[in-house]
mmCIF file of all heavy atoms in Angstrom:
data_model
loop_
_atom_site.group_PDB
_atom_site.id
_atom_site.type_symbol
_atom_site.label_atom_id
_atom_site.label_comp_id
_atom_site.label_asym_id
_atom_site.label_seq_id
_atom_site.Cartn_x
_atom_site.Cartn_y
_atom_site.Cartn_z
ATOM 1 N N HIS A 1 -96.349 56.187 -90.413
ATOM 2 C CA HIS A 1 -97.352 55.538 -89.571
ATOM 3 C C HIS A 1 -97.625 56.371 -88.318
ATOM 4 O O HIS A 1 -96.724 57.048 -87.800
ATOM 5 C CB HIS A 1 -96.880 54.147 -89.142
ATOM 6 C CG HIS A 1 -96.960 53.132 -90.233
ATOM 7 N ND1 HIS A 1 -96.087 53.102 -91.291
ATOM 8 C CD2 HIS A 1 -97.822 52.094 -90.425
ATOM 9 C CE1 HIS A 1 -96.398 52.092 -92.105
ATOM 10 N NE2 HIS A 1 -97.444 51.471 -91.604
ATOM 11 N N ILE A 2 -98.867 56.303 -87.844
ATOM 12 C CA ILE A 2 -99.245 56.910 -86.559
ATOM 13 C C ILE A 2 -99.504 55.765 -85.592
ATOM 14 O O ILE A 2 -100.469 55.011 -85.742
ATOM 15 C CB ILE A 2 -100.484 57.801 -86.684
ATOM 16 C CG1 ILE A 2 -100.229 58.957 -87.658
ATOM 17 C CG2 ILE A 2 -100.879 58.356 -85.312
ATOM 18 C CD1 ILE A 2 -101.439 59.836 -87.919
ATOM 19 N N TYR A 3 -98.633 55.626 -84.614
ATOM 20 C CA TYR A 3 -98.729 54.535 -83.648
ATOM 21 C C TYR A 3 -99.642 54.927 -82.485
ATOM 22 O O TYR A 3 -99.669 56.084 -82.065
ATOM 23 C CB TYR A 3 -97.353 54.174 -83.109
ATOM 24 C CG TYR A 3 -96.446 53.546 -84.134
ATOM 25 C CD1 TYR A 3 -95.583 54.323 -84.904
ATOM 26 C CD2 TYR A 3 -96.464 52.171 -84.343
ATOM 27 C CE1 TYR A 3 -94.759 53.747 -85.851
ATOM 28 C CE2 TYR A 3 -95.640 51.586 -85.294
ATOM 29 C CZ TYR A 3 -94.792 52.381 -86.037
ATOM 30 O OH TYR A 3 -93.977 51.797 -86.977
ATOM 31 N N VAL A 4 -100.356 53.943 -81.971
ATOM 32 C CA VAL A 4 -101.271 54.153 -80.848
ATOM 33 C C VAL A 4 -100.634 53.584 -79.581
ATOM 34 O O VAL A 4 -100.274 52.406 -79.531
ATOM 35 C CB VAL A 4 -102.626 53.456 -81.106
ATOM 36 C CG1 VAL A 4 -103.568 53.674 -79.930
ATOM 37 C CG2 VAL A 4 -103.245 53.979 -82.396
ATOM 38 N N GLY A 5 -100.495 54.412 -78.556
ATOM 39 C CA GLY A 5 -99.976 53.932 -77.277
ATOM 40 C C GLY A 5 -98.487 53.692 -77.298
ATOM 41 O O GLY A 5 -97.756 54.087 -78.218
ATOM 42 N N LYS A 6 -97.995 53.011 -76.257
ATOM 43 C CA LYS A 6 -96.564 52.814 -76.065
ATOM 44 C C LYS A 6 -96.005 51.597 -76.801
ATOM 45 O O LYS A 6 -94.856 51.594 -77.224
ATOM 46 C CB LYS A 6 -96.260 52.670 -74.570
ATOM 47 C CG LYS A 6 -96.473 53.936 -73.771
ATOM 48 C CD LYS A 6 -96.102 53.719 -72.317
ATOM 49 C CE LYS A 6 -96.261 55.004 -71.523
ATOM 50 N NZ LYS A 6 -95.901 54.817 -70.094
ATOM 51 N N ASP A 7 -96.824 50.553 -76.946
ATOM 52 C CA ASP A 7 -96.256 49.297 -77.450
ATOM 53 C C ASP A 7 -96.248 49.177 -78.964
ATOM 54 O O ASP A 7 -95.701 48.228 -79.520
ATOM 55 C CB ASP A 7 -96.979 48.106 -76.834
ATOM 56 C CG ASP A 7 -98.468 48.093 -77.175
ATOM 57 O OD1 ASP A 7 -98.908 48.950 -77.969
ATOM 58 O OD2 ASP A 7 -99.185 47.228 -76.627
ATOM 59 N N ALA A 8 -96.844 50.127 -79.666
ATOM 60 C CA ALA A 8 -96.838 50.143 -81.132
ATOM 61 C C ALA A 8 -97.459 48.904 -81.741
ATOM 62 O O ALA A 8 -97.064 48.466 -82.825
ATOM 63 C CB ALA A 8 -95.419 50.344 -81.649
ATOM 64 N N THR A 9 -98.420 48.314 -81.047
ATOM 65 C CA THR A 9 -99.136 47.167 -81.622
ATOM 66 C C THR A 9 -100.118 47.636 -82.682
ATOM 67 O O THR A 9 -100.275 46.999 -83.730
ATOM 68 C CB THR A 9 -99.882 46.401 -80.523
ATOM 69 O OG1 THR A 9 -98.949 45.939 -79.550
ATOM 70 C CG2 THR A 9 -100.644 45.220 -81.091
ATOM 71 N N TYR A 10 -100.799 48.755 -82.380
ATOM 72 C CA TYR A 10 -101.832 49.256 -83.286
ATOM 73 C C TYR A 10 -101.406 50.561 -83.957
ATOM 74 O O TYR A 10 -100.686 51.379 -83.376
ATOM 75 C CB TYR A 10 -103.140 49.490 -82.535
ATOM 76 C CG TYR A 10 -103.814 48.216 -82.069
ATOM 77 C CD1 TYR A 10 -103.681 47.787 -80.745
ATOM 78 C CD2 TYR A 10 -104.577 47.450 -82.953
ATOM 79 C CE1 TYR A 10 -104.304 46.616 -80.318
ATOM 80 C CE2 TYR A 10 -105.193 46.282 -82.530
ATOM 81 C CZ TYR A 10 -105.057 45.874 -81.209
ATOM 82 O OH TYR A 10 -105.656 44.710 -80.798
ATOM 83 N N CYS A 11 -101.882 50.724 -85.183
ATOM 84 C CA CYS A 11 -101.678 51.956 -85.938
ATOM 85 C C CYS A 11 -103.024 52.475 -86.431
ATOM 86 O O CYS A 11 -104.019 51.721 -86.497
ATOM 87 C CB CYS A 11 -100.767 51.697 -87.142
ATOM 88 S SG CYS A 11 -99.024 51.447 -86.716
ATOM 89 N N LEU A 12 -103.053 53.764 -86.767
ATOM 90 C CA LEU A 12 -104.270 54.340 -87.333
ATOM 91 C C LEU A 12 -104.340 54.000 -88.817
ATOM 92 O O LEU A 12 -103.341 54.062 -89.538
ATOM 93 C CB LEU A 12 -104.277 55.854 -87.138
ATOM 94 C CG LEU A 12 -104.275 56.345 -85.689
ATOM 95 C CD1 LEU A 12 -104.486 57.855 -85.650
ATOM 96 C CD2 LEU A 12 -105.352 55.641 -84.854
ATOM 97 N N GLU A 13 -105.550 53.639 -89.249
ATOM 98 C CA GLU A 13 -105.747 53.190 -90.630
ATOM 99 C C GLU A 13 -106.956 53.897 -91.228
ATOM 100 O O GLU A 13 -107.971 54.117 -90.546
ATOM 101 C CB GLU A 13 -105.948 51.673 -90.641
ATOM 102 C CG GLU A 13 -106.118 51.077 -92.035
ATOM 103 C CD GLU A 13 -106.130 49.548 -91.987
ATOM 104 O OE1 GLU A 13 -105.181 48.982 -91.427
ATOM 105 O OE2 GLU A 13 -107.108 48.946 -92.492
ATOM 106 N N ALA A 14 -106.865 54.257 -92.480
ATOM 107 C CA ALA A 14 -107.971 54.913 -93.184
ATOM 108 C C ALA A 14 -108.947 53.864 -93.720
ATOM 109 O O ALA A 14 -108.568 53.014 -94.525
ATOM 110 C CB ALA A 14 -107.433 55.763 -94.316
ATOM 111 N N ASP A 15 -110.184 53.934 -93.237
ATOM 112 C CA ASP A 15 -111.265 53.115 -93.787
ATOM 113 C C ASP A 15 -112.007 54.013 -94.778
ATOM 114 O O ASP A 15 -112.991 54.672 -94.418
ATOM 115 C CB ASP A 15 -112.180 52.626 -92.658
ATOM 116 C CG ASP A 15 -113.348 51.800 -93.169
ATOM 117 O OD1 ASP A 15 -113.498 51.675 -94.398
ATOM 118 O OD2 ASP A 15 -114.143 51.309 -92.329
ATOM 119 N N LEU A 16 -111.501 54.060 -96.006
ATOM 120 C CA LEU A 16 -112.022 55.008 -96.989
ATOM 121 C C LEU A 16 -113.461 54.704 -97.379
ATOM 122 O O LEU A 16 -114.238 55.622 -97.691
ATOM 123 C CB LEU A 16 -111.129 55.007 -98.238
ATOM 124 C CG LEU A 16 -109.673 55.481 -98.003
ATOM 125 C CD1 LEU A 16 -108.878 55.351 -99.296
ATOM 126 C CD2 LEU A 16 -109.662 56.919 -97.507
ATOM 127 N N HIS A 17 -113.836 53.437 -97.352
ATOM 128 C CA HIS A 17 -115.194 53.062 -97.750
ATOM 129 C C HIS A 17 -116.218 53.666 -96.792
ATOM 130 O O HIS A 17 -117.267 54.164 -97.228
ATOM 131 C CB HIS A 17 -115.337 51.542 -97.783
ATOM 132 C CG HIS A 17 -116.704 51.069 -98.148
ATOM 133 N ND1 HIS A 17 -117.213 51.193 -99.433
ATOM 134 C CD2 HIS A 17 -117.691 50.492 -97.392
ATOM 135 C CE1 HIS A 17 -118.444 50.710 -99.452
ATOM 136 N NE2 HIS A 17 -118.760 50.279 -98.232
ATOM 137 N N ASN A 18 -115.937 53.617 -95.489
ATOM 138 C CA ASN A 18 -116.881 54.149 -94.488
ATOM 139 C C ASN A 18 -116.491 55.522 -93.971
ATOM 140 O O ASN A 18 -117.134 56.052 -93.067
ATOM 141 C CB ASN A 18 -116.973 53.174 -93.312
ATOM 142 C CG ASN A 18 -117.559 51.840 -93.702
ATOM 143 O OD1 ASN A 18 -118.687 51.773 -94.180
ATOM 144 N ND2 ASN A 18 -116.791 50.770 -93.517
ATOM 145 N N GLN A 19 -115.410 56.094 -94.559
ATOM 146 C CA GLN A 19 -114.895 57.407 -94.142
ATOM 147 C C GLN A 19 -114.649 57.454 -92.632
ATOM 148 O O GLN A 19 -115.042 58.386 -91.945
ATOM 149 C CB GLN A 19 -115.838 58.535 -94.576
ATOM 150 C CG GLN A 19 -115.804 58.796 -96.083
ATOM 151 C CD GLN A 19 -116.381 60.141 -96.444
ATOM 152 O OE1 GLN A 19 -117.545 60.416 -96.176
ATOM 153 N NE2 GLN A 19 -115.558 60.982 -97.068
ATOM 154 N N LYS A 20 -113.956 56.429 -92.139
ATOM 155 C CA LYS A 20 -113.620 56.354 -90.731
ATOM 156 C C LYS A 20 -112.105 56.225 -90.557
ATOM 157 O O LYS A 20 -111.398 55.778 -91.467
ATOM 158 C CB LYS A 20 -114.293 55.148 -90.061
ATOM 159 C CG LYS A 20 -115.810 55.234 -89.973
ATOM 160 C CD LYS A 20 -116.362 53.986 -89.293
ATOM 161 C CE LYS A 20 -117.876 54.069 -89.160
ATOM 162 N NZ LYS A 20 -118.430 52.853 -88.480
ATOM 163 N N VAL A 21 -111.636 56.612 -89.383
ATOM 164 C CA VAL A 21 -110.265 56.330 -88.975
ATOM 165 C C VAL A 21 -110.342 55.248 -87.912
ATOM 166 O O VAL A 21 -111.009 55.419 -86.887
ATOM 167 C CB VAL A 21 -109.558 57.577 -88.406
ATOM 168 C CG1 VAL A 21 -108.102 57.244 -88.067
ATOM 169 C CG2 VAL A 21 -109.626 58.734 -89.385
ATOM 170 N N ILE A 22 -109.701 54.115 -88.140
ATOM 171 C CA ILE A 22 -109.825 52.976 -87.235
ATOM 172 C C ILE A 22 -108.446 52.492 -86.788
ATOM 173 O O ILE A 22 -107.422 52.904 -87.328
ATOM 174 C CB ILE A 22 -110.586 51.808 -87.906
ATOM 175 C CG1 ILE A 22 -109.817 51.320 -89.140
ATOM 176 C CG2 ILE A 22 -112.008 52.230 -88.269
ATOM 177 C CD1 ILE A 22 -110.396 50.056 -89.760
ATOM 178 N N LEU A 23 -108.447 51.606 -85.811
ATOM 179 C CA LEU A 23 -107.224 50.940 -85.377
ATOM 180 C C LEU A 23 -107.067 49.626 -86.129
ATOM 181 O O LEU A 23 -108.055 48.948 -86.423
ATOM 182 C CB LEU A 23 -107.278 50.646 -83.879
ATOM 183 C CG LEU A 23 -106.698 51.686 -82.916
ATOM 184 C CD1 LEU A 23 -107.492 52.979 -83.023
ATOM 185 C CD2 LEU A 23 -106.747 51.174 -81.481
ATOM 186 N N ASN A 24 -105.815 49.286 -86.412
ATOM 187 C CA ASN A 24 -105.514 47.973 -86.949
ATOM 188 C C ASN A 24 -104.068 47.635 -86.568
ATOM 189 O O ASN A 24 -103.284 48.509 -86.223
ATOM 190 C CB ASN A 24 -105.670 47.940 -88.469
ATOM 191 C CG ASN A 24 -105.837 46.524 -88.994
ATOM 192 O OD1 ASN A 24 -105.783 45.542 -88.243
ATOM 193 N ND2 ASN A 24 -106.024 46.391 -90.303
ATOM 194 N N TYR A 25 -103.746 46.337 -86.595
ATOM 195 C CA TYR A 25 -102.384 45.939 -86.290
ATOM 196 C C TYR A 25 -101.413 46.620 -87.262
ATOM 197 O O TYR A 25 -101.654 46.653 -88.468
ATOM 198 C CB TYR A 25 -102.234 44.422 -86.381
ATOM 199 C CG TYR A 25 -102.924 43.677 -85.268
ATOM 200 C CD1 TYR A 25 -104.091 42.957 -85.502
ATOM 201 C CD2 TYR A 25 -102.400 43.717 -83.974
ATOM 202 C CE1 TYR A 25 -104.730 42.282 -84.471
ATOM 203 C CE2 TYR A 25 -103.031 43.045 -82.936
ATOM 204 C CZ TYR A 25 -104.198 42.331 -83.186
ATOM 205 O OH TYR A 25 -104.831 41.673 -82.158
ATOM 206 N N CYS A 26 -100.349 47.160 -86.723
ATOM 207 C CA CYS A 26 -99.380 47.880 -87.554
ATOM 208 C C CYS A 26 -98.744 46.941 -88.576
ATOM 209 O O CYS A 26 -98.357 45.818 -88.257
ATOM 210 C CB CYS A 26 -98.283 48.493 -86.678
ATOM 211 S SG CYS A 26 -98.888 49.744 -85.519
ATOM 212 N N SER A 27 -98.642 47.406 -89.798
ATOM 213 C CA SER A 27 -98.073 46.588 -90.867
ATOM 214 C C SER A 27 -97.347 47.484 -91.863
ATOM 215 O O SER A 27 -97.841 48.565 -92.212
ATOM 216 C CB SER A 27 -99.165 45.796 -91.576
ATOM 217 O OG SER A 27 -98.657 45.174 -92.741
ATOM 218 N N ALA A 28 -96.190 47.012 -92.325
ATOM 219 C CA ALA A 28 -95.427 47.771 -93.316
ATOM 220 C C ALA A 28 -96.044 47.685 -94.700
ATOM 221 O O ALA A 28 -95.669 48.455 -95.595
ATOM 222 C CB ALA A 28 -93.993 47.254 -93.359
ATOM 223 N N THR A 29 -96.968 46.762 -94.911
ATOM 224 C CA THR A 29 -97.509 46.524 -96.254
ATOM 225 C C THR A 29 -98.898 47.134 -96.467
ATOM 226 O O THR A 29 -99.416 47.091 -97.571
ATOM 227 C CB THR A 29 -97.581 45.009 -96.532
ATOM 228 O OG1 THR A 29 -98.447 44.399 -95.567
ATOM 229 C CG2 THR A 29 -96.191 44.395 -96.446
ATOM 230 N N ILE A 30 -99.516 47.680 -95.419
ATOM 231 C CA ILE A 30 -100.859 48.258 -95.568
ATOM 232 C C ILE A 30 -100.732 49.746 -95.868
ATOM 233 O O ILE A 30 -100.368 50.544 -94.990
ATOM 234 C CB ILE A 30 -101.703 48.035 -94.291
ATOM 235 C CG1 ILE A 30 -101.872 46.538 -94.021
ATOM 236 C CG2 ILE A 30 -103.063 48.706 -94.441
ATOM 237 C CD1 ILE A 30 -102.682 46.231 -92.760
ATOM 238 N N GLU A 31 -101.004 50.125 -97.108
ATOM 239 C CA GLU A 31 -100.869 51.516 -97.528
ATOM 240 C C GLU A 31 -101.840 52.443 -96.802
ATOM 241 O O GLU A 31 -101.566 53.635 -96.634
ATOM 242 C CB GLU A 31 -101.083 51.624 -99.040
ATOM 243 C CG GLU A 31 -99.942 51.067 -99.865
ATOM 244 C CD GLU A 31 -98.649 51.843 -99.632
ATOM 245 O OE1 GLU A 31 -98.666 53.094 -99.693
ATOM 246 O OE2 GLU A 31 -97.612 51.201 -99.354
ATOM 247 N N PHE A 32 -102.966 51.902 -96.366
ATOM 248 C CA PHE A 32 -103.975 52.733 -95.707
ATOM 249 C C PHE A 32 -103.515 53.222 -94.330
ATOM 250 O O PHE A 32 -104.189 54.015 -93.694
ATOM 251 C CB PHE A 32 -105.283 51.945 -95.569
ATOM 252 C CG PHE A 32 -105.906 51.568 -96.880
ATOM 253 C CD1 PHE A 32 -105.774 50.291 -97.389
ATOM 254 C CD2 PHE A 32 -106.605 52.513 -97.621
ATOM 255 C CE1 PHE A 32 -106.349 49.939 -98.605
ATOM 256 C CE2 PHE A 32 -107.183 52.173 -98.832
ATOM 257 C CZ PHE A 32 -107.049 50.891 -99.333
ATOM 258 N N GLN A 33 -102.367 52.725 -93.861
ATOM 259 C CA GLN A 33 -101.845 53.147 -92.561
ATOM 260 C C GLN A 33 -100.816 54.271 -92.688
ATOM 261 O O GLN A 33 -100.191 54.644 -91.696
ATOM 262 C CB GLN A 33 -101.216 51.953 -91.830
ATOM 263 C CG GLN A 33 -102.234 50.912 -91.385
ATOM 264 C CD GLN A 33 -101.602 49.782 -90.601
ATOM 265 O OE1 GLN A 33 -100.404 49.771 -90.353
ATOM 266 N NE2 GLN A 33 -102.420 48.812 -90.212
ATOM 267 N N ARG A 34 -100.652 54.828 -93.864
ATOM 268 C CA ARG A 34 -99.660 55.886 -94.056
ATOM 269 C C ARG A 34 -100.354 57.237 -94.159
ATOM 270 O O ARG A 34 -101.364 57.381 -94.851
ATOM 271 C CB ARG A 34 -98.828 55.584 -95.316
ATOM 272 C CG ARG A 34 -98.072 54.258 -95.199
ATOM 273 C CD ARG A 34 -97.359 53.873 -96.487
ATOM 274 N NE ARG A 34 -96.278 54.806 -96.804
ATOM 275 C CZ ARG A 34 -96.219 55.521 -97.921
ATOM 276 N NH1 ARG A 34 -97.174 55.389 -98.846
ATOM 277 N NH2 ARG A 34 -95.207 56.342 -98.132
ATOM 278 N N TRP A 35 -99.765 58.230 -93.427
ATOM 279 C CA TRP A 35 -100.413 59.539 -93.291
ATOM 280 C C TRP A 35 -99.421 60.674 -93.557
ATOM 281 O O TRP A 35 -98.231 60.558 -93.281
ATOM 282 C CB TRP A 35 -100.987 59.707 -91.886
ATOM 283 C CG TRP A 35 -101.967 58.641 -91.521
ATOM 284 C CD1 TRP A 35 -101.696 57.459 -90.900
ATOM 285 C CD2 TRP A 35 -103.367 58.652 -91.773
ATOM 286 N NE1 TRP A 35 -102.845 56.727 -90.740
ATOM 287 C CE2 TRP A 35 -103.904 57.434 -91.258
ATOM 288 C CE3 TRP A 35 -104.250 59.558 -92.355
ATOM 289 C CZ2 TRP A 35 -105.254 57.129 -91.323
ATOM 290 C CZ3 TRP A 35 -105.603 59.256 -92.421
ATOM 291 C CH2 TRP A 35 -106.091 58.046 -91.916
ATOM 292 N N LYS A 36 -99.945 61.754 -94.058
ATOM 293 C CA LYS A 36 -99.176 62.973 -94.268
ATOM 294 C C LYS A 36 -99.705 64.056 -93.334
ATOM 295 O O LYS A 36 -100.918 64.224 -93.203
ATOM 296 C CB LYS A 36 -99.314 63.441 -95.729
ATOM 297 C CG LYS A 36 -98.599 64.758 -96.026
ATOM 298 C CD LYS A 36 -98.860 65.205 -97.462
ATOM 299 C CE LYS A 36 -98.218 66.560 -97.729
ATOM 300 N NZ LYS A 36 -98.505 67.044 -99.106
ATOM 301 N N ILE A 37 -98.793 64.766 -92.670
ATOM 302 C CA ILE A 37 -99.184 65.842 -91.759
ATOM 303 C C ILE A 37 -98.659 67.162 -92.300
ATOM 304 O O ILE A 37 -97.532 67.234 -92.810
ATOM 305 C CB ILE A 37 -98.638 65.588 -90.338
ATOM 306 C CG1 ILE A 37 -99.093 64.225 -89.831
ATOM 307 C CG2 ILE A 37 -99.121 66.672 -89.376
ATOM 308 C CD1 ILE A 37 -98.544 63.861 -88.476
ATOM 309 N N GLY A 38 -99.445 68.215 -92.131
ATOM 310 C CA GLY A 38 -99.146 69.518 -92.725
ATOM 311 C C GLY A 38 -97.733 70.016 -92.492
ATOM 312 O O GLY A 38 -96.943 70.167 -93.427
ATOM 313 N N GLN A 39 -97.368 70.283 -91.240
ATOM 314 C CA GLN A 39 -96.040 70.792 -90.922
ATOM 315 C C GLN A 39 -95.422 69.916 -89.844
ATOM 316 O O GLN A 39 -96.072 69.598 -88.850
ATOM 317 C CB GLN A 39 -96.113 72.238 -90.448
ATOM 318 C CG GLN A 39 -96.667 73.199 -91.494
ATOM 319 C CD GLN A 39 -96.746 74.622 -90.981
ATOM 320 O OE1 GLN A 39 -96.309 74.918 -89.882
ATOM 321 N NE2 GLN A 39 -97.322 75.494 -91.788
ATOM 322 N N ILE A 40 -94.146 69.550 -90.022
ATOM 323 C CA ILE A 40 -93.487 68.627 -89.106
ATOM 324 C C ILE A 40 -92.221 69.273 -88.545
ATOM 325 O O ILE A 40 -91.442 69.879 -89.283
ATOM 326 C CB ILE A 40 -93.124 67.306 -89.820
ATOM 327 C CG1 ILE A 40 -94.391 66.615 -90.317
ATOM 328 C CG2 ILE A 40 -92.349 66.380 -88.892
ATOM 329 C CD1 ILE A 40 -94.117 65.382 -91.163
ATOM 330 N N ASN A 41 -92.040 69.142 -87.230
ATOM 331 C CA ASN A 41 -90.824 69.610 -86.574
ATOM 332 C C ASN A 41 -89.857 68.428 -86.477
ATOM 333 O O ASN A 41 -89.906 67.638 -85.537
ATOM 334 C CB ASN A 41 -91.169 70.153 -85.175
ATOM 335 C CG ASN A 41 -90.000 70.864 -84.530
ATOM 336 O OD1 ASN A 41 -88.852 70.490 -84.716
ATOM 337 N ND2 ASN A 41 -90.314 71.889 -83.741
ATOM 338 N N LEU A 42 -89.009 68.294 -87.476
ATOM 339 C CA LEU A 42 -88.129 67.130 -87.564
ATOM 340 C C LEU A 42 -87.188 67.024 -86.365
ATOM 341 O O LEU A 42 -86.840 65.921 -85.935
ATOM 342 C CB LEU A 42 -87.315 67.192 -88.855
ATOM 343 C CG LEU A 42 -88.112 67.005 -90.157
ATOM 344 C CD1 LEU A 42 -87.199 67.209 -91.359
ATOM 345 C CD2 LEU A 42 -88.740 65.623 -90.193
ATOM 346 N N GLU A 43 -86.778 68.136 -85.818
ATOM 347 C CA GLU A 43 -85.858 68.115 -84.683
ATOM 348 C C GLU A 43 -86.481 67.405 -83.497
ATOM 349 O O GLU A 43 -85.823 66.653 -82.783
ATOM 350 C CB GLU A 43 -85.481 69.545 -84.296
ATOM 351 C CG GLU A 43 -84.464 69.660 -83.174
ATOM 352 C CD GLU A 43 -83.107 69.094 -83.577
ATOM 353 O OE1 GLU A 43 -82.811 69.079 -84.792
ATOM 354 O OE2 GLU A 43 -82.361 68.666 -82.684
ATOM 355 N N HIS A 44 -87.788 67.630 -83.280
ATOM 356 C CA HIS A 44 -88.477 66.987 -82.159
ATOM 357 C C HIS A 44 -88.766 65.512 -82.422
ATOM 358 O O HIS A 44 -88.821 64.696 -81.511
ATOM 359 C CB HIS A 44 -89.805 67.709 -81.872
ATOM 360 C CG HIS A 44 -89.627 68.964 -81.073
ATOM 361 N ND1 HIS A 44 -88.405 69.414 -80.679
ATOM 362 C CD2 HIS A 44 -90.535 69.839 -80.580
ATOM 363 C CE1 HIS A 44 -88.547 70.529 -79.990
ATOM 364 N NE2 HIS A 44 -89.825 70.813 -79.913
ATOM 365 N N LEU A 45 -88.972 65.175 -83.675
ATOM 366 C CA LEU A 45 -89.411 63.821 -83.995
ATOM 367 C C LEU A 45 -88.273 62.823 -84.230
ATOM 368 O O LEU A 45 -88.492 61.620 -84.207
ATOM 369 C CB LEU A 45 -90.288 63.847 -85.256
ATOM 370 C CG LEU A 45 -91.750 64.229 -85.044
ATOM 371 C CD1 LEU A 45 -92.438 64.407 -86.395
ATOM 372 C CD2 LEU A 45 -92.488 63.192 -84.230
#
């Protein structure tokens, strides 16, 4: 998940129908809120 801001209320979500990236309440069950990033520095994260 990509969290927005400090409180982690909102996450970035893929609106595939309109080809947009939008905010929505973070949820463990919404697959559209899961993202893959090219290269990750695990030590920092």
Side-chain angles (χ1 to χ4, degrees):
H1 285 74
I2 299 176
Y3 292 92
V4 180
K6 292 182 178 180
D7 61 5
T9 300
Y10 291 100
C11 287
L12 298 188
E13 182 173 306
D15 178 356
L16 297 177
H17 179 71
N18 295 301
Q19 288 198 300
K20 293 180 178 181
V21 183
I22 62 172
L23 268 63
N24 200 357
Y25 289 107
C26 297
S27 170
T29 61
I30 299 179
E31 288 297 311
F32 297 101
Q33 291 183 2
R34 299 174 66 240
W35 302 91
K36 177 184 176 182
I37 304 177
Q39 298 179 5
I40 298 174
N41 190 326
L42 292 175
E43 183 65 26
H44 280 1
L45 278 172

